[in-house]
Each structure stands twice: as structure tokens, then as C-alpha cells.
Amino acid sequence: MPRHKRILSKTGIYHVMMRGNEKKNLFLDEEDKQHFLDTLFIKKKETGFFLYAYCLMTNHIHLLIQEGQESLATTIKRINTSYVFYFNQRYQRVGHLFQDRFKSEPVETEQYLLAAVRYIHNNPVKAAIVERAEQYKWSSFGCYIYPYNPESKNIDAATILDMFSMNQQESIKEFRRFSLEPDQNEFLDISDKDKWTIEAGKIFLEEYLKNNWPGKTLEELLADTAKRNEIVAHMRGATGLSIRKIANLLNLNRGIIQNIKPK
């Protein structure tokens, strides 16, 4: 099947999504995520692109980029090639890591730019990994609300915040408010039809437990009836996993899963 020609942006700004080859994980631990960010920031400094937002999920990545000295395709290729070299060396593997071609959509208006920033930061909320965007460690949201964070220098947040107010405190306050508003726009994402495999459920569960009960094993949590029920209710309400798949993931009887109402 021939590839569709990439739609070019008149502003040079794109919402980019990259996903793992065959829907596999791009990151196996936090060290991998930090290495990707380090690579992203180094390439930003080298080639002069603007970075308005990012969010690293376990098997896909969202970026909001404005082209610098080179084309978007060249920039993404540089970032991915460097990260794949690291990943393959670390895990003694060969072959592709990213799905063959990244997805992108042009961002042509200020309104859509703001909406894209909000959407990217709320990806972990939509996935029910956290309740609020600021709770997720691996997005650029913190660079907006904590401007003195050392990592903030890598994000071109001022461009976005100045759209709310020229006063820094007021702009951050308005940015927080805006980030909580519902959005009817459609953006690049992994389709729900593809999403809820057993592997995707495992990724979701790992992220959910890590963010809500750090340091606790699944076995410890399931031994506590209240926590077990909370986990099951959340997985039933926040995912498209079947009762059978949830039972397999948690190693619990299907009857237990069925008797706990979705949250």
C-alpha cells in the first residue's frame, strides 16, 4: 500500500506521535525514558527546533515540535536513530524499535496549538494512569507550572504561557485552568480498537501501580481486599479489557472480577 504524502504545516509546527514497532514497549524502565529525554534535548540544542510539549507513554510518544534548521523528518530520524542505538546496545538486541513511519499533523492556529498542548499533557489522565496531569513525571506539564525547574529550560513554554498573560503567575494560573477544560478536538492517538490487548493491559497496570502505590508489588496489593477491589474497579472502568483478560492479568477468579463494579 503506498504511503500518504505527509501534510506540511505552514507554521512549521507539528503534533508528532511515534509508537513501538508491533505495538511493543519503547521504554522498559525510567532510565530508558530519561535517556530519550536527554537525546531529545541534545538534538534540540544542536538543530534549533522548538519544543512546546512532550509526553512519554510506555509504548508511544507525543511531541509538539516546530521545525528549526532542518525538516521535521530529519529531526525525528536523528532523535530515533540515537535512541535506538542506545536501546539495542543496552538490551543486546537488533532490529527496528519504532514503527516504520511516525505520524504527524500540522498545527496552523494558536487555538489548535493550545489544544494540542493540553491534549498531550492529559494523555496519562485519559489513560487513567493518574488523576491530574501534574502527577505524571514523564511529560512537560511540570515545566509549565514550575518554571524554575531545571528541565524547564528545554521547553519553549513561554510562547504558550504568553498567550494567557504577560504576567508569569497569572499565565500559569490560567494555563492550569485551561488544562482542566474538556476538549472536543480529535488528535493523533492509538485507536481504542488496537489498544486493549493483554500486553497493553499489562503496561497500563504497571504504570497505574507505579504511580499510585510505588514500591508495592502486585501480590502485596492483591492480598489487601480493599486495594484489590480498587484495582479491579479501576481496570474495569478505565480500560476496554474484558473480564477474562483482567482475571488473567491479576491471576484472579473471573467471578471476583465480575462482582466488582467498574469505577
Side-chain angles (χ1 to χ4, degrees):
M1 182 180 293
R3 289 179 173 179
H4 294 292
K5 187 175 181 181
R6 196 176 299 283
I7 301 174
L8 299 180
S9 169
K10 294 175 184 177
T11 64
I13 303 175
Y14 295 88
H15 173 199
V16 175
M17 190 189 79
M18 301 177 284
R19 64 189 297 181
N21 192 38
E22 299 178 341
K23 305 173 190 175
K24 293 180 181 177
N25 291 358
L26 293 171
F27 311 108
L28 301 187
D29 59 19
E30 292 196 345
E31 185 175 335
D32 290 344
K33 289 179 178 176
Q34 188 58 58
H35 189 89
F36 181 87
L37 288 183
D38 292 342
T39 300
L40 179 65
F41 299 151
I42 288 170
K43 299 305 178 187
K44 179 181 187 295
K45 188 174 181 180
E46 288 176 352
T47 64
F49 63 82
F50 291 84
L51 180 63
Y52 298 118
Y54 70 80
C55 184
L56 310 187
M57 304 296 277
T58 304
N59 65 350
H60 68 286
I61 298 164
H62 288 275
L63 302 174
L64 192 57
I65 283 182
Q66 183 171 9
E67 290 175 324
Q69 301 166 11
E70 58 191 18
S71 69
L72 176 71
T74 302
T75 294
I76 297 301
K77 183 178 180 181
R78 288 183 190 277
I79 294 167
N80 289 359
T81 299
S82 180
Y83 180 72
V84 171
F85 180 78
Y86 150 84
F87 191 90
N88 284 353
Q89 277 206 322
R90 185 180 185 197
Y91 296 108
Q92 299 182 345
R93 65 181 295 279
V94 294
H96 297 292
L97 176 62
F98 289 93
Q99 186 170 288
D100 184 41
R101 193 168 188 249
F102 68 90
K103 294 182 179 181
S104 69
E105 61 181 3
V107 178
E108 305 286 18
T109 67
E110 286 189 359
Q111 182 181 9
Y112 200 66
L113 175 62
L114 290 173
V117 171
R118 175 172 59 194
Y119 172 79
I120 289 171
H121 287 156
N122 277 289
N123 233 244
V125 179
K126 181 184 176 185
I129 295 170
V130 294
E131 292 183 357
R132 301 188 308 279
E134 63 193 84
Q135 295 173 317
Y136 193 68
K137 180 179 179 181
W138 300 104
S139 86
S140 52
F141 190 82
C143 298
Y144 280 83
I145 60 174
Y146 304 117
Y148 299 109
N149 180 333
E151 192 179 282
S152 296
K153 68 180 185 296
N154 298 304
I155 305 300
D156 298 290
T159 301
I160 306 299
L161 291 174
D162 286 351
M163 295 179 188
F164 294 98
S165 172
M166 297 306 291
N167 177 279
Q168 188 181 64
Q169 288 187 335
E170 184 65 22
S171 66
I172 292 172
K173 178 183 175 182
E174 287 301 303
F175 177 80
R176 278 181 176 273
R177 177 196 56 75
F178 175 78
S179 297
L180 293 172
E181 291 180 354
D183 195 335
Q184 301 304 316
N185 289 299
E186 292 187 4
F187 295 92
L188 293 177
D189 204 350
I190 296 176
S191 69
D192 291 337
K193 181 177 69 174
D194 294 337
K195 190 173 181 180
W196 295 113
T197 61
I198 280 284
E199 181 62 25
K202 183 179 178 182
I203 292 166
F204 172 88
L205 181 62
E206 289 173 353
E207 293 277 3
Y208 174 63
L209 298 183
K210 187 186 299 180
N211 280 282
N212 290 277
W213 293 285
K216 294 285 187 180
T217 66
L218 178 60
E219 289 73 21
E220 288 176 301
L221 294 168
L222 294 179
D224 182 318
T225 302
K227 288 186 174 64
R228 180 202 70 185
N229 291 353
E230 185 175 344
I231 292 168
V232 172
H234 187 71
M235 292 193 72
R236 290 202 63 188
T239 76
L241 291 165
S242 66
I243 288 173
R244 177 182 61 80
K245 287 180 178 178
I246 295 174
N248 287 343
L249 280 168
L250 300 179
N251 197 25
L252 293 174
N253 185 282
R254 290 189 202 178
I256 293 174
I257 308 299
Q258 197 161 16
N259 289 331
I260 298 172
K261 292 182 179 180
K263 185 177 178 181

